[in-house]
Structures are given as structure tokens and as C-alpha cells.
């Protein structure tokens, strides 16, 4: 049935995930939702030097927020920071160089950040789609290390800081690709069988949905959400999915259109009127499973995922102070 689910997802995507889908959905948006002043509030955006992450950071900066850019590449990050400051006039833009695929770096960064800054909103945007199975220096499969474990550690490490904040929020950027994947806790690092980078990425994105639902239950004072930005024209799409890009490039959303729902979830009062833990597309909560799909998993598997990720994360926490 996987071919059927993939076909359904692709056809659904053609209709909803493209620029045309955004333009249709945006007719029902209330512009006032995001026409807000967020001066005095602090936002952290991972993967903020390009694409949707940079577009999100720029829009928050325009609204007066203090923005912490967490990026891997120092040169590109400095260029992005300068662009954001120049275009928005907001000087409260701070740069942190962190590789989200390196759990030791994340722990070290988060511990330092907790001691030096406040935080109202965490936006987990950093991600990767590596099409061949690659291991990090820690022996972790790179997609898992970045998309799942990196997101898990960054969030759990900063939850104590967020719990001190007013109107705290965590937004994780997922993908509609997760709709074709059932949570698989037996092979988190994709070491069994043929390696399909697109499906591994989709599995990671399913894991992010489960993480968000579990965090929402555990931390009632923080509003958690996960979202699909649609298919946007970003450097990551061009490099990791070149065939898809060539086929769809005339229909892809702009980076700003892809970032719209992230911005809405980060700054609007309307977003937090909805329950914590939901999956969003174009400012609306949407189902996390296709009709009649075999992608539902038992609660014990979802709880086990959290246990496994906690075990992974603690292995790397012990190498840093605190």
C-alpha cells in the first residue's frame, strides 16, 4: 500500500502544498493576526541563515522581536544576520554557531544560553535530507541526528528557560511527507535494509509530530505546535531534491509563503487559543494521518520513542559541565 499512500500524498500536495494552495488559503487569513509588535520578546530560530528559517527570523525582526539565529555555517550566518539587520533596522539580532547534528554542541550551547538569555519562543527549523546513509563523528545517522535527536535535545534543554517565560511557545517545522510514514522505533538510525533518504526524512518528520504531541502533554505551560510549510523554493529543496525541484519549480511557494504559518504560530494571539500539540498547515490545524492510512501507532510506541531519545541525549550530556 505504500505506493498508494505516496500517490495520494503527491496528488494532495499538488493541490494544497504549492503556491496556488497558499494563495487559495491566504484569502481566509486575517492580516491583523501577524500585524503585532513583539518588542521585548525573545525568539530562537534554528537553521536561520537561509530559506524558511531566514524568512521567519526576518519577519520577527520587523516586528521588533529579539532574534537569536542558530546556524551551522559561520560565514553564511554572518551574511544572513547583516541582511536581517539592514532590512529591518532591528539591532537585536544575535548569532550562535551550533551544528544541530552534534548533540554535544547543542547541550553546551543550551546550557550557556540558559544562563545568559531569556526565551519566549523556540522555532525548531533546522533540518536536512541526506540521500545516502552518512554517520556523524558520534556515529549517528545524519538525518536522525539533525531532524530528530537535535530537535529533541534543543527543546528539552531549553524547556526550563521557556517555563519561566510568559506566553512560551515551541514551533517545529515538519513536512507533509510524514503522512506516508508510520512511527518506527525499531530502526531509528535506518541501519536495516535499503536506505531511502526521502523516506528516512519523512520518518524523522513523523517523529517530530509525535514529539510535539508528547511535549504538549508533559509541559502544560508551554504551547507546542508542529507545522508543514508546503513546498517552498529554498536552497535545501534545490540541493536535496533536484529532480523534484526541476519538476515543480514553477509551482513552489516563496520562502516567505513557506514561513507564514511559522510566523503566525510564533507571534499571533489566535494561535494559542487552539490546543497545544496540533499539526498546522496554512494557519489551520490539520489531521496527522491520511484517511484510511495505516500510519497510526500505539501509545506505547510513542512513549518508547521519548524514552529512547532521552537515553540518546543523556549519553552526550555527560560530556559537558552541568
Amino acid at each position: 500500500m505504500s505506493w498508494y499512500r505516496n500517490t495520494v500524498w503527491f496528488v494532495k500536495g499538488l493541490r494544497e502544498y504549492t503556491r496556488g494552495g497558499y494563495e487559495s488559503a491566504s484569502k481566509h487569513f486575517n492580516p491583523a493576526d501577524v500585524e503585532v509588535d513583539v518588542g521585548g520578546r525573545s525568539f530562537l530560530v534554528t537553521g536561520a541563515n537561509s530559506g524558511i528559517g531566514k524568512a521567519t527570523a526576518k519577519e520577527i525582526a520587523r516586528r521588533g522581536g529579539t532574534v537569536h539565529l542558530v546556524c551551522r555555517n559561520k560565514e553564511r550566518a554572518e551574511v544572513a544576520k547583516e541582511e536581517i539587520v539592514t532590512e529591518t533596522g532591528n539591532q537585536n539580532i544575535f548569532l550562535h554557531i551550533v551544528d544541530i547534528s552534534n548533540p554535544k554542541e547543542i547541550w553546551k550551547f543550551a546550557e550557556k544560553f540558559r544562563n545568559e538569555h531569556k526565551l519566549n519562543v523556540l522555532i525548531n527549523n533546522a533540518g536536512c535530507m541526506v540521500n545516502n546513509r552518512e554517520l556523524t563523528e558520534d556515529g549517528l545517522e545524519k538525518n536522525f541526528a539533525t531532524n530528530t535527536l537535535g530537535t529533541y535535545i534543543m527543546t528539552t534543554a531549553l524547556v526550563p528557560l521557556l517555563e519561566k517565560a510568559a506566553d512560551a511557545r515551541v514551533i517545529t517545522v515538519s513536512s507533509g511527507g510524514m503522512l506516508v510514514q508510520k512511527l518506527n522505533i525499531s530502526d531509528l538510525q535506518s541501519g536495516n535494509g535499503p536506505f531511502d533518504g526521502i523516506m528516512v526524512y519523512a520518518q524523522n518528520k513523523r517523529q517530530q509530530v509525535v514529539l510535539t504531541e508528547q511535549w504538549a502533554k508533559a509541559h502544560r505551560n508551554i504551547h507546542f505546535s508542529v507545522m508543514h510549510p508546503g513546498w517552498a523554493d529554498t536552497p535545501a529543496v534545490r540541493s536535496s531534491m533536484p529532480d523534484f525541484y526541476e519538476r515543480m519549480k514553477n509551482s513552489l511557494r516563496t520562502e516567505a509563503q513557506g514561513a507564514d504559518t511559522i510566523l503566525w504560530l510564533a507571534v499571533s494571539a489566535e494561535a494559542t487559543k487552539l490546543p497545544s500539540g496540533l499539526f498546522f498547515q496554512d494557519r489551520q490545524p490539520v489531521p496527522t494521518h491520511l484517511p484510511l492510512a495505516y500510519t497510526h501507532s500505539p501509545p506505547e510506541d510513542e512513549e518508547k520513542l521519548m524514552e529512547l531519545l532521552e537515553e540518546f541525549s543523556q549519553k552526550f550530556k555527560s560530556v559537558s559541565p552541568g
Side-chain angles (χ1 to χ4, degrees):
M1 293 294 288
S2 62
W3 66 269
Y4 172 76
R5 292 198 299 273
N6 287 340
T7 302
V8 169
W9 170 53
F10 187 73
V11 172
K12 177 184 171 72
L14 286 176
R15 188 173 62 249
E16 295 182 16
Y17 298 167
T18 60
R19 187 187 311 143
Y22 174 84
E23 289 168 352
S24 176
S26 66
K27 293 174 184 176
H28 306 285
F29 293 172
N30 180 359
D33 285 357
V34 294
E35 290 173 0
V36 294
D37 182 349
V38 291
R41 286 176 65 75
S42 176
F43 300 77
L44 188 155
V45 185
T46 67
N49 67 278
S50 68
I52 290 169
K54 185 172 76 171
T56 301
K58 193 177 292 183
E59 291 305 317
I60 292 169
R62 287 192 210 283
R63 290 158 177 78
T66 295
V67 185
H68 295 273
L69 313 174
V70 174
C71 308
R72 183 182 59 183
N73 184 288
K74 191 171 188 292
E75 280 184 18
R76 290 201 296 264
E78 287 174 345
V79 171
K81 176 187 172 181
E82 185 61 32
E83 180 184 322
I84 292 168
V85 170
T86 301
E87 289 191 21
T88 68
N90 187 338
Q91 299 293 323
N92 293 318
I93 312 298
F94 301 93
L95 184 57
H96 310 271
I97 305 303
V98 185
D99 183 349
I100 302 297
S101 74
N102 186 321
K104 295 187 288 291
E105 275 192 33
I106 302 171
W107 275 120
K108 184 177 179 181
F109 159 74
E111 288 161 1
K112 186 171 188 288
F113 189 90
R114 284 201 311 254
N115 291 327
E116 297 177 357
H117 304 281
K118 71 169 194 172
L119 183 63
N120 298 93
V121 180
L122 167 62
I123 299 171
N124 290 310
N125 166 72
C128 70
M129 183 192 294
V130 180
N131 289 311
N132 298 303
R133 191 171 189 273
E134 293 181 19
L135 299 184
T136 68
E137 62 182 38
D138 297 303
L140 299 168
E141 191 278 314
K142 195 162 188 179
N143 293 291
F144 167 75
T146 306
N147 302 326
T148 301
L149 185 60
T151 296
Y152 178 86
I153 295 176
M154 182 66 77
T155 303
T156 53
L158 292 177
V159 156
L161 191 58
L162 288 160
E163 285 181 332
K164 299 175 184 176
D167 187 17
R169 311 182 188 192
V170 174
I171 300 122
T172 299
V173 180
S174 182
S175 166
M178 68 91 193
L179 290 167
V180 304
Q181 285 284 311
K182 179 180 179 178
L183 179 66
N184 177 11
I185 57 170
S186 67
D187 189 22
L188 290 179
Q189 300 205 65
S190 309
N192 301 330
F195 187 89
D196 182 334
I198 292 176
M199 288 300 106
V200 169
Y201 177 83
Q203 173 65 209
N204 295 160
K205 295 301 172 176
R206 168 62 69 187
Q207 291 161 359
Q208 290 179 341
V209 169
V210 173
L211 288 178
T212 298
E213 293 169 346
Q214 294 296 310
W215 283 327
K217 294 176 189 175
H219 306 287
R220 302 288 184 175
N221 294 330
I222 302 170
H223 190 273
F224 290 87
S225 54
V226 60
M227 60 78 66
H228 175 38
W231 292 339
D233 187 348
T234 65
V237 167
R238 281 175 238 140
S239 63
S240 62
M241 302 176 71
D243 293 343
F244 171 82
Y245 174 74
E246 282 302 315
R247 193 166 63 246
M248 298 296 297
K249 61 184 178 184
N250 295 325
S251 301
L252 297 177
R253 298 179 177 203
T254 66
E255 292 172 348
Q257 289 171 342
D260 176 82
T261 295
I262 310 172
L263 178 70
W264 182 81
L265 288 165
V267 306
S268 77
E270 294 304 306
T272 52
K273 292 178 182 176
L274 293 162
S276 182
L278 299 181
F279 180 66
F280 287 83
Q281 178 185 317
D282 291 332
R283 303 192 190 183
Q284 292 293 323
V286 293
T288 56
H289 301 276
L290 294 170
L292 306 178
Y294 295 92
T295 52
H296 296 269
S297 52
E300 54 266 30
D301 280 7
E302 298 179 355
E303 292 164 9
K304 184 64 175 176
L305 174 67
M306 304 303 282
E307 292 174 14
L308 292 170
L309 292 177
E310 183 62 16
E311 288 174 15
F312 268 112
S313 72
Q314 290 301 320
K315 288 178 187 175
F316 298 103
K317 185 179 183 182
S318 62
V319 303
S320 57

